Amino acid sequence: MNESSGRARRPTIADVARRAGVSTVTVTRVFDRSARVSPERERRVREAVEELGYFGNGAASSLVSGRFSTVGVIASDTLSFGYAKSLAGIEDAAREARMAVLISVAEGVEPDLVRSTVALVLGQSPAGVIVLDYDEIGSAVLAALPAYVPVVAVSPATGPRVDRPYVAIDEYTGGRMAARHLLDLGHRTIHLVAPPNYGVETRTRGVRDEVQEAGAEIGSVVRAREWSSGAGREAMDELLAGSTSPVTAVFCGNDEIALGVYQSLRAHGLRIPEDVSVVGFDDNPVADFSYPRLTTVDQDFMLVGRHAFGLLERCIAAFEEEEAEVPAAAAIVPELRVRDSTAPPRPGSTPPRSG
Amino acid sequence: MNESSGRARRPTIADVARRAGVSTVTVTRVFDRSARVSPERERRVREAVEELGYFGNGAASSLVSGRFSTVGVIASDTLSFGYAKSLAGIEDAAREARMAVLISVAEGVEPDLVRSTVALVLGQSPAGVIVLDYDEIGSAVLAALPAYVPVVAVSPATGPRVDRPYVAIDEYTGGRMAARHLLDLGHRTIHLVAPPNYGVETRTRGVRDEVQEAGAEIGSVVRAREWSSGAGREAMDELLAGSTSPVTAVFCGNDEIALGVYQSLRAHGLRIPEDVSVVGFDDNPVADFSYPRLTTVDQDFMLVGRHAFGLLERCIAAFEEEEAEVPAAAAIVPELRVRDSTAPPRPGSTPPRSG
DNA sequence: CTGAAAGCGCTTACAG
DNA sequence: CTGAAAGCGCTTACAG
């Protein structure tokens, strides 16, 4: 059926118009319903579109209309639970709005790397960009994005360091909840296997504040070198090696780290939760299927992603109409999920306070 | 510094040219190094680019050059381990090649849904598309993609149902390895908690063939309703409820399902691996940090993703030069990871064959 | 080494 | 209800 015998060329609006016997304007009208088209012509256009497998050319369309149908997402990681789930939320909301998601990983904080990521994404002319400001890399990217692009950050409650609209995750409250739970069980010293990124210290700060206000103590603090179980195990090994008094409660940077902590505790002959209580963070699906089932703080990352997209849409509209600043969306509040990894300390395991 | 007091407009090549006192062609030349530009002019252009925060307009550029700097990726899921990791591999390779990744989730096999996903991605005019053909949805999308776009599939060893270049994952051999391991330990009946998607039955087929060739038996087979631990637990509950003889070995559709199987076995008072050996599939990071550590089959999804991108690049080049078909890339061969969830059956747990 | 002209595929006024 | 013309931001010949 094709005129040429070679491989089919990507059809253009002119191909469709020719086949339907109408002008290209008419084809546009059938697509965007911007004006009435006679039923007969409309039928012919749809038929031609179908036969040719025409899907339009977003590049050409954006170029002239000034409307871009792509959202850029920049993150330092796409595999760790929080990142992956936030991305899924963004994609979900974007798809509903008929926008495609352009994703690019930022490899580091060095100016060259940051610039190259930004160039890769902005070079595609997205309608706006969402940055997962979960770590230093995210913050660096945020700072490098030019003011003329609508940008939304997803940040811990304190917000990003630059003046951009953001979706807040109230990790601080989550940290407090986790600490309160351990305190209520009777633990008096909470040890920390902290997250790898200083950027999300917010959750750890919540733990510290709650513990200190209760007059209890923060024990040893060891930072995991990354968001992984392996790093969690190493950190816990180190923590146990350096600890003089028995450890009865550990707060972990996230659930993946907690699983590594589990392994370290077992290797040291310690039982969970009889000897040591463990709390994670995020409510990764594995938390409910670990052994013992892990007590953790649920953060609804899917909702975070959806909110971020919603906020970005409003920013894009505001940019177009040159409106004033868009308000930040409401913060996502986490929830405590009590499972089997936490219990009261065994009598005598915590030495009585001297004096 | 800006002429207007309003919000800064996205700068164009004309803005850069004006500021640098050169023509737009010169700006292009500085960027793509297609021709020599005098050092002085080059300096001025770079300066203007820097000051304006110019990143080009991929849409306009693609439109005239015919080169597109985006790869589309379509998958039914972005969170399950295999999907997420393949995606990460694609993104990684794409980034090295200075291409952005356009991702869109396909929600279902219904023609309307498939068409809408395809339209969303093709509407952005990607240079090519990679489809994760890990399930029926992937297959449906693959079938709906028009012939004029370069497409690469990532498929189980048998390949996609349509005639497209693909990266093969040799799940069949992986299934055989898992079964061989259980057989070698002395198990004579292997039960299956099968994967949710008929599309990846390849791994199960490998198990079946290996077991049958060894003259051993496939026991009960229950399909998990999705790739999750919850579904794995339900399926195992069902399997145990229906089983008349003791279960000594279970092959699970993947590692997430295996964790659910763990929980079901524990709830039934069965020990792993003393009473029941469990084998997973994929080598999800949790496998190494579950309790007991899960024996599984490692599939290098990262490499799969990288290969897929490499193959797509060759397809794109072939399309441009109207060359003949591009050969399929070599298959990814999985590896068995023996850990603590498998052991010989307890004496007497398997009734001697009658006769 | 440099730039004026043409044109990629589309949509937006504009004129009927 | 319909189409001819202009132009979005860029790059590709072409001419110097």
Side-chain angles (χ1 to χ4, degrees):
Chain A
M1 283 294 183
N2 287 327
E3 298 88 293
S4 88
S5 63
R7 197 179 314 257
R9 190 175 47 81
R10 189 179 292 227
T12 70
I13 197 171
D15 296 326
V16 174
R18 200 172 310 122
R19 188 167 196 122
V22 300
S23 70
T24 61
V25 204
T26 300
V27 177
T28 296
R29 285 183 185 127
V30 168
F31 266 80
D32 68 4
R33 314 183 152 288
S34 62
R36 219 166 291 278
V37 172
S38 74
E40 165 58 10
R41 291 177 113 84
E42 167 155 0
R43 215 210 69 242
R44 292 214 310 268
V45 169
R46 294 204 181 281
E47 216 171 271
V49 164
E50 184 67 28
E51 287 167 8
L52 257 26
Y54 174 71
F55 290 99
N57 181 328
S61 162
S62 299
L63 192 55
V64 45
S65 72
R67 279 177 271 104
F68 300 87
S69 51
T70 271
V71 231
V73 179
I74 304 181
S76 66
D77 179 353
T78 59
L79 283 172
S80 296
F81 179 68
Y83 297 81
K85 196 103 188 202
S86 306
L87 245 40
I90 294 170
E91 194 282 333
D92 210 48
R95 182 154 29 87
E96 275 176 23
R98 311 260 57 214
M99 294 187 93
V101 172
L102 205 59
I103 179 158
S104 193
V105 168
E107 296 176 78
V109 295
E110 295 76 8
D112 273 8
L113 289 176
V114 169
R115 173 183 308 271
S116 112
T117 304
V118 168
L120 196 56
V121 172
L122 292 191
Q124 296 311 123
S125 304
V129 176
I130 296 174
V131 178
L132 300 189
D133 183 25
Y134 295 164
D135 47 50
E136 305 76 16
I137 298 182
S139 301
V141 168
L142 219 36
L145 253 5
Y148 62 77
V149 214
V151 172
V152 161
V154 182
S155 290
T158 45
R161 272 163 256 168
V162 297
D163 184 34
R164 292 284 199 178
Y166 65 98
V167 174
I169 308 182
D170 194 357
E171 303 205 321
Y172 179 77
T173 301
R176 280 202 174 250
M177 287 170 172
R180 172 68 12 229
H181 172 61
L182 291 170
L183 259 14
D184 285 348
L185 287 170
H187 295 277
R188 304 308 299 160
T189 304
I190 316 290
H191 294 77
L192 304 180
V193 174
N197 306 316
Y198 292 88
V200 290
E201 277 299 6
T202 326
R203 53 185 77 168
T204 321
R205 259 210 357 264
V207 173
R208 285 178 191 274
D209 288 359
E210 187 76 20
V211 166
Q212 274 151 16
E213 284 173 23
E217 271 177 26
I218 292 292
S220 311
V221 179
V222 178
R223 181 176 302 283
R225 80 186 140 68
E226 56 172 39
W227 293 116
S228 75
S229 301
R233 182 184 47 201
E234 285 168 25
M236 192 64 199
D237 283 346
E238 193 184 320
L239 194 153
L240 287 171
S243 184
T244 49
S245 59
V247 171
T248 75
V250 185
F251 171 81
C252 305
N254 79 349
D255 296 339
E256 282 141 309
I257 288 171
L259 290 191
V261 167
Y262 271 24
Q263 204 167 82
S264 168
L265 290 171
R266 277 199 196 96
H268 286 81
L270 294 164
R271 291 164 306 165
I272 311 160
E274 293 83 352
D275 298 318
V276 183
S277 285
V278 177
V279 178
F281 214 86
D282 286 356
D283 200 24
N284 189 315
V286 297
D288 202 24
F289 286 88
S290 58
Y291 184 71
R293 293 164 69 244
L294 180 67
T295 293
T296 188
V297 177
D298 183 354
Q299 306 210 85
D300 193 341
F301 286 112
M302 198 67 144
L303 191 61
V304 166
R306 299 189 60 89
H307 275 8
F309 181 80
L311 185 58
L312 184 62
E313 274 192 309
R314 283 157 53 204
C315 292
I316 293 167
F319 254 73
E320 277 169 8
E321 291 153 29
E322 310 230 359
E323 273 174 21
E325 208 68 354
V326 171
I332 306 294
V333 180
E335 279 179 50
L336 183 70
R337 300 262 177 260
V338 177
R339 293 201 266 251
D340 308 333
S341 66
T342 45
R346 298 168 66 203
S349 66
T350 304
R353 305 288 286 271
S354 57
Chain B
M1 286 295 182
N2 287 327
E3 298 89 294
S4 89
S5 62
R7 195 177 318 253
R9 192 174 46 80
R10 188 179 293 227
T12 69
I13 197 170
D15 297 325
V16 174
R18 201 173 308 121
R19 187 166 197 120
V22 300
S23 70
T24 61
V25 203
T26 301
V27 177
T28 296
R29 286 186 184 124
V30 168
F31 267 80
D32 69 3
R33 315 182 153 288
S34 62
R36 220 166 290 277
V37 173
S38 74
E40 165 58 11
R41 292 178 112 85
E42 167 155 0
R43 216 210 67 243
R44 294 215 307 269
V45 168
R46 294 204 182 279
E47 216 170 88
V49 164
E50 185 67 27
E51 288 167 6
L52 258 26
Y54 174 73
F55 291 99
N57 181 329
S61 162
S62 299
L63 192 55
V64 45
S65 72
R67 278 177 271 106
F68 301 87
S69 50
T70 269
V71 231
V73 179
I74 304 180
S76 66
D77 180 351
T78 59
L79 283 172
S80 296
F81 179 69
Y83 297 81
K85 196 102 189 205
S86 305
L87 244 39
I90 293 171
E91 194 282 334
D92 209 48
R95 182 155 27 87
E96 275 176 23
R98 311 261 58 213
M99 295 187 95
V101 173
L102 205 61
I103 178 158
S104 194
V105 168
E107 297 176 79
V109 295
E110 296 76 9
D112 273 7
L113 290 176
V114 169
R115 173 183 308 271
S116 112
T117 304
V118 167
L120 196 56
V121 173
L122 293 191
Q124 297 310 124
S125 305
V129 177
I130 296 174
V131 178
L132 299 190
D133 184 26
Y134 294 165
D135 47 50
E136 304 77 14
I137 298 182
S139 301
V141 167
L142 219 37
L145 252 7
Y148 62 76
V149 213
V151 172
V152 161
V154 181
S155 290
T158 44
R161 271 162 256 169
V162 297
D163 184 33
R164 293 284 198 179
Y166 64 99
V167 174
I169 306 182
D170 193 357
E171 305 206 320
Y172 179 77
T173 301
R176 279 200 175 251
M177 287 171 171
R180 170 70 12 230
H181 172 61
L182 290 169
L183 259 13
D184 285 348
L185 287 169
H187 295 276
R188 305 308 298 160
T189 303
I190 316 290
H191 294 78
L192 304 180
V193 175
N197 307 317
Y198 292 88
V200 290
E201 277 300 7
T202 327
R203 54 185 77 168
T204 321
R205 257 208 359 262
V207 173
R208 285 177 191 276
D209 288 359
E210 187 76 20
V211 166
Q212 274 151 16
E213 283 173 23
E217 272 178 25
I218 292 292
S220 312
V221 180
V222 178
R223 181 177 301 283
R225 79 185 142 68
E226 57 173 37
W227 293 116
S228 76
S229 300
R233 182 185 46 201
E234 285 168 25
M236 192 64 200
D237 283 346
E238 191 185 321
L239 194 154
L240 286 171
S243 184
T244 50
S245 59
V247 171
T248 75
V250 185
F251 170 82
C252 306
N254 79 348
D255 296 339
E256 283 141 309
I257 289 171
L259 290 191
V261 167
Y262 270 24
Q263 203 166 83
S264 167
L265 290 171
R266 276 199 197 94
H268 286 80
L270 295 165
R271 291 165 306 164
I272 311 160
E274 294 83 353
D275 298 317
V276 183
S277 286
V278 177
V279 178
F281 215 85
D282 286 355
D283 201 23
N284 189 315
V286 297
D288 202 25
F289 285 88
S290 58
Y291 183 71
R293 293 164 70 243
L294 180 66
T295 293
T296 189
V297 177
D298 184 354
Q299 307 209 84
D300 193 341
F301 286 112
M302 199 67 145
L303 192 61
V304 166
R306 299 189 60 88
H307 275 7
F309 180 79
L311 186 57
L312 184 62
E313 274 192 309
R314 283 156 53 204
C315 292
I316 293 167
F319 254 73
E320 278 168 8
E321 291 153 28
E322 311 232 356
E323 272 174 22
E325 209 68 356
V326 172
I332 306 294
V333 181
E335 278 179 49
L336 183 70
R337 301 262 177 260
V338 177
R339 292 199 268 251
D340 308 334
S341 66
T342 46
R346 299 168 65 204
S349 67
T350 304
R353 307 287 287 273
S354 58

